[in-house]
Amino acid sequence: MASGNNKLPEVSKEEFERNLKELPAQEQKYYHQWWAAFQEVVTWDQFRAKGYKVIADTAQEVNDHIVKVTGKPQQLKLAFMPTEIARTSPFFPMSRMEMKERPLYKEFVIKNKWGSIAVSGPKLSIQDESVLLAVLFLAKKHKSERIKTDYAELCGIMMVSRGLNSYKSIEESLKRLTKTIVDTDLYESGNNEKVVRSITGSILSNVDQKQGSTTVEILLNPYFLTLYGANLTTGINLDLRAKLKGDVTKALYRFLETHTGGGVPYGMLTLCYAINLNTEQPFFEIRKLIRRSLAELQKQGYIKRWKIDKNDLVYIYK
C-alpha cells in the first residue's frame, strides 16, 4: 500500500469513464468506489485482488501505526481524525441559542491559510464533532467502516451522562453528519492560491436508527479510513477532550494537535479562522475567549505555556 509520501498516479475522469464501460456490470460499483476513495493508496488490481476489502486492511494499518504516527501510548482513548478536517474544520463553537436556531447552509465558504471548505447543510457544532469522534473511536476499535452501537456506548465514550436528552442529542447529531456535504480545497504549504487536493462528500454515509430502540448502525465515509492508510491522521485524546469545558477550548485543542507547538506565533485572527470562532464580535471578547481557552489547556497539562504579545501574536509552547 502506498504511503502518504508515495501516492499512486491519479486516474483522470476521462480514463475512469472509459475503463468503467469495459468492466462487467457487477464490478462497476467497486471500480467507482476505488476511483472515488482509494486510488491514491492502492491500485485497482490490488483492490480487486483483495476482494474489494481494502477498507479493513487500511483500518488494520491504522492500528499497526498508532504509536508511530501519533507518538502516544496505545492505552489512551484515541479517536483518529483526518488532519485536513482537524485544520480546516466544518465544526463551529456555538451557543445554545445558535444551536436551537442553526442555519441551513448552501455552499457557505470558510477559509484559512491551510484551505477552504464550502459547507452545504445544517451548521455543525462542537457537539456534533464530539459524536463524530466517538464514531471514529469505534471505527478504530472494530477495524471497520460499518459500526453497530447504541446511545449508551456513545455516551460512555463521550463521557456524558446517559439519558433521554443525551440520546436525543446524539440522534440529531448523527442525522446532521449525514446531511452536511463538505467540499474541501487544501492549499499547498505556504501558498493559499494553489489547491493541491479537493475532497467532497458527507462525513457519515448512512445512519440506520430504529424508532423506539437505542441501537444504531452507522456507515462511515470510507474516505476517512483511506486517509488513515496514508498516515495523514491526527490523534484526539477523548479523555482529555472530555475534561475541557469550553467549546472554543475543544476546537483549539483539535487544531493544535496538528501542530508541534514550538512557539511559532499565530496571528489572533488566523487562529480564530482555524477554529471557526466568530470574528464579528468585539475584539476584546475574542482575546478573552482565546486567553481562557489557552489557560484551560495549560491547566490540563496539554500546553506548557503561552503568551499573547501587544501585536496580538499568539505563542503556544507544548
Side-chain angles (χ1 to χ4, degrees), residues 69-70 72 81-89 112-115 189-190 232-236 251-267 270-271 273-275 297 302-303 314-318:
V69 174
T70 67
K72 296 179 174 65
M81 172 177 281
T83 300
E84 287 94 336
I85 298 297
R87 287 184 176 177
T88 311
S89 173
N112 61 34
K113 64 183 291 185
W114 295 276
S189 179
L232 296 174
T233 311
T234 296
I236 305 294
L252 188 57
Y253 163 62
R254 176 241 300 143
F255 171 73
L256 291 176
E257 270 296 280
T258 68
H259 294 80
T260 58
V264 177
Y266 302 97
T270 297
L271 207 55
Y273 295 145
I275 64 174
L297 288 172
Y302 177 69
I303 60 176
V314 185
Y315 296 79
I316 302 170
Y317 303 85
K318 288 185 179 180

Side-chain angles (χ1 to χ4, degrees), residues 234-278:
T234 296
I236 305 294
N237 183 337
L238 297 184
D239 289 335
L240 170 60
R241 188 180 181 278
K243 294 176 183 177
L244 303 177
K245 297 178 180 179
D247 282 359
V248 175
T249 311
K250 291 177 180 178
L252 188 57
Y253 163 62
R254 176 241 300 143
F255 171 73
L256 291 176
E257 270 296 280
T258 68
H259 294 80
T260 58
V264 177
Y266 302 97
M268 182 74 75
L269 286 178
T270 297
L271 207 55
C272 291
Y273 295 145
I275 64 174
N276 295 334
L277 184 61
N278 178 13

Side-chain angles (χ1 to χ4, degrees), residues 20-33:
L20 186 67
K21 293 177 182 177
E22 297 176 356
L23 289 172
Q26 64 270 23
E27 281 197 334
Q28 289 184 0
K29 69 174 182 179
Y30 296 112
Y31 185 72
H32 191 282
Q33 183 186 41

Side-chain angles (χ1 to χ4, degrees), residues 54-64 139 143-144 225 228:
V54 70
I55 294 174
D57 293 341
T58 303
Q60 180 61 53
E61 187 170 313
V62 178
N63 197 58
D64 293 342
K143 302 175 186 177
S144 174
L225 294 181
Y228 293 156

